[in-house]
Amino acid sequence: MFSVCTDPSVLSAPAWFACYLTTGKLMMFYGSFGVVLLLLAITAPAALLFGFAAAAAARSPFVPLSWAGKAYIAIVRGVPDIAFFLFFVIALDQGFEWVRHKIKCPDWDQPIRQGNDFVVCAAAKLPLSTSPQWVHETYGFFLAVLTFAIVFGAFAGNVLFGAMRAVPRAQMETAEAYGMSHRQTFWRILVPQMWVYALPGLSNLWMVLIKATPLLFLLGVEDIVYWARELGGAKTARFTDYPHGDWRMWYFLALLIFYLAFTKLSEVVLSRIMRRLSHGQATAAGEAQRRTAGGPA
Amino acid sequence: MSCWVTVQDYALRSLGFGERLLPRGDFTLCQQFTLIGSGMIWNVYFGLLALVTGFFLATALAVGKNSANPWLRKPAEWFIFVFRGSPLFIQFFFAYFLFLSLKGLSPFFSPFTSAWLGALVVLFFNTAAYSGEIFYGALLSIPRGDLEAADAYGFSGWSKFRKITWPTMLRLAWPAYTNEAIFLFHATTLVFFSGFPALQQRGDALYYANYFADKTFNPFIPYPILAVYFILLTLTVVGLFGWVNRRLNRHLPTERRTRMRIRPNLLR
């Protein structure tokens, strides 16, 4: 990057590091932090949406819908999440290909599962074998996002379902007494009030989501863990201008510090949001705020 | 080949006994059940040992974090922060490469580079940090009246801690601690995906489930089998911890007992 970097073998240590840390490979590594942030930015709202749908379904007066919602929320408990990650990535991929196969190749007569193979017609392959590399990578990332959203959606559904039940009954009864319909009570009374009860659970979930991002590596995405392993391994002078020993330990130390800083920052921000949301609410935190502000005991 | 023969061949495969070669093709349900079950030995081993050893460190950490002396408080706070604030997956990777470089310095560290010890150490520290935070929260919520009554009866120092503070702390923390235990058993599935090598394909339950899913390209059989095993394990943990919970609360009238709410925390 800098002009002095043309012959790294003669540089002093600080200059060598300045050059090393700005090589193209390292730029890919920094870029992969962006991948993690992108994953969080897409997954968090998607999981919240899935969770909201699940919680709303679980409360539904229509019994099969309520069962479906409760089953979705319950299914991720009791089984390690990582098993779900590994499962959904293949299952979703095969599910998509199967559906496309049924639509695009209706006159295909061979079975799809042949022994240990999963065979669909060429037109149904996802992504198509002719597509460029970036399509394959984006598809992989998309599958990972969907997997995260499904698994974390169930967790969020659990939190939101609890929060909906925590809203005081009297609020709902008052709304009904005013003649609001079931739908109106839900959207105008329940949903605006549930967030303060949901926030502790949701902030916990956010922390957990941050700490789940390294699992992207298991889903086959080139994320920070992939690059840390790749770049940290010992390099000899034959293959690179910057030979070094096994630095994987230091790379993972850097990742550890990155995550610590990230979770700490989130903690500070979330506690601020909680303070603001508790303002004027009939909860213990809201009551404490009112007292310190000099309100009547 | 009957199922019994398969069980004889593979039931202890994860420990290195029995048939060396894993099945290659025409996987039967029996093979999948046996091998994944065999892998569960490792999950139980890691979970159980980390839980038992972690319990003591967790108590020490909680007391340390609650201490007025900064020389005790600060290290406990930092320990808990580091292990709770970073992903377990990264901790495994870091620990593995750390042990790998320490091995170069001293042969003492060579057993730490294999999963049975290295991963166990990480899980031990990790669960100690999480349970330490739970115990610390419980220490803070011990009713003041209990401690004042203990003072009034002349308890002090170690005997006050042993007879009053510690049992009350455990009683208050127990439901949350049950969740932590369940969650720790789930976390053990990460071990063989995070640097620690599965020597001669001796892995845990998820390792074998993943092996079958890769070979058959069919995730719909091995992962549900794994799920069945883990649900059984979770139920066992819930049962055992429920028994301890009843014992811890046996002196209380029924309506004041802390109810167990099973709410496994997610991932770490």
Side-chain angles (χ1 to χ4, degrees), chain A residues 48-69:
Chain A
L48 205 56
L49 207 67
F50 275 54
F52 188 80
R59 279 182 57 86
S60 159
F62 181 58
V63 177
L65 192 62
S66 151
W67 277 351

Side-chain angles (χ1 to χ4, degrees), chain A residues 77-83 85-87 90-91 94 113 115-118 152 155 158 204-205 208 211-212 214-215 217-218 225 229 246 248-249 252-253 255-256 259-260 263-264, chain B residues 25 27 81-82 84-87 89-91 93-94 97-98 100-101 130 186 189-190 193 206 210 213 215-220 223 226-227 230-231 234 262 264-268:
Chain A
R77 301 220 219 141
V79 179
D81 328 69
I82 170 182
F85 284 122
L86 294 176
F87 170 77
I90 313 183
Q94 293 188 351
R113 285 204 186 281
N116 291 336
D117 285 318
F118 182 85
F152 279 87
F155 297 148
N158 192 15
N204 184 26
L205 201 61
V208 172
K211 289 188 268 168
L215 298 179
F217 169 68
L218 295 180
V225 177
R229 277 165 56 108
D246 189 348
R248 284 177 294 186
M249 182 181 125
F252 279 102
L253 185 64
L255 292 190
L256 208 66
Y259 276 108
L260 283 177
T263 48
K264 189 77 199 169
Chain B
F27 303 96
F81 169 65
V82 167
R84 286 184 78 229
S86 59
F89 199 50
I90 302 287
Q91 290 167 21
F93 270 117
F94 174 67
F97 293 121
L98 175 71
L100 214 55
S101 18
Y130 277 87
H186 291 180
T189 52
L190 277 175
F193 288 88
L206 188 62
N210 189 43
K215 290 277 184 234
T216 60
F217 210 59
N218 179 2
F220 297 99
Y223 291 122
L226 177 83
F230 264 94
I231 288 169
T234 307
I262 300 313
N265 283 305
L266 326 162
L267 274 169
R268 47 180 107 191

Side-chain angles (χ1 to χ4, degrees), chain B residues 48 51-52 55 135 166-175 177-178 181 235-252 257-260 262:
Chain B
L48 207 61
L51 202 62
V52 170
F55 177 81
F135 289 167
W166 191 63
T168 315
M169 176 194 90
L170 280 187
R171 194 161 55 77
L172 294 174
W174 206 256
Y177 188 57
T178 309
L235 289 177
T236 316
V237 172
V238 169
L240 287 176
F241 274 71
W243 177 75
V244 176
N245 190 47
R246 278 193 299 283
R247 213 181 136 67
L248 284 171
N249 285 293
R250 69 193 183 281
H251 59 292
L252 292 177
R257 292 184 184 170
T258 42
R259 290 251 314 284
M260 294 278 283
I262 300 313

Side-chain angles (χ1 to χ4, degrees), chain A residues 48-49 51-53 55-57 59 160-161 163-168 171-172 175 180 182-199 202 277 281:
Chain A
L48 205 56
L49 207 67
F52 188 80
R59 279 182 57 86
L160 292 179
F161 186 60
M164 285 177 183
R165 284 205 297 200
V167 172
Q171 297 278 345
M172 311 289 290
M180 286 191 183
H182 188 82
R183 179 184 296 260
Q184 281 173 327
T185 330
F186 181 76
W187 284 109
R188 299 193 190 171
I189 308 296
L190 187 69
V191 172
Q193 288 193 50
M194 72 180 196
W195 297 109
V196 69
Y197 301 99
L199 196 72
L202 288 182
L277 272 188
Q281 289 280 349

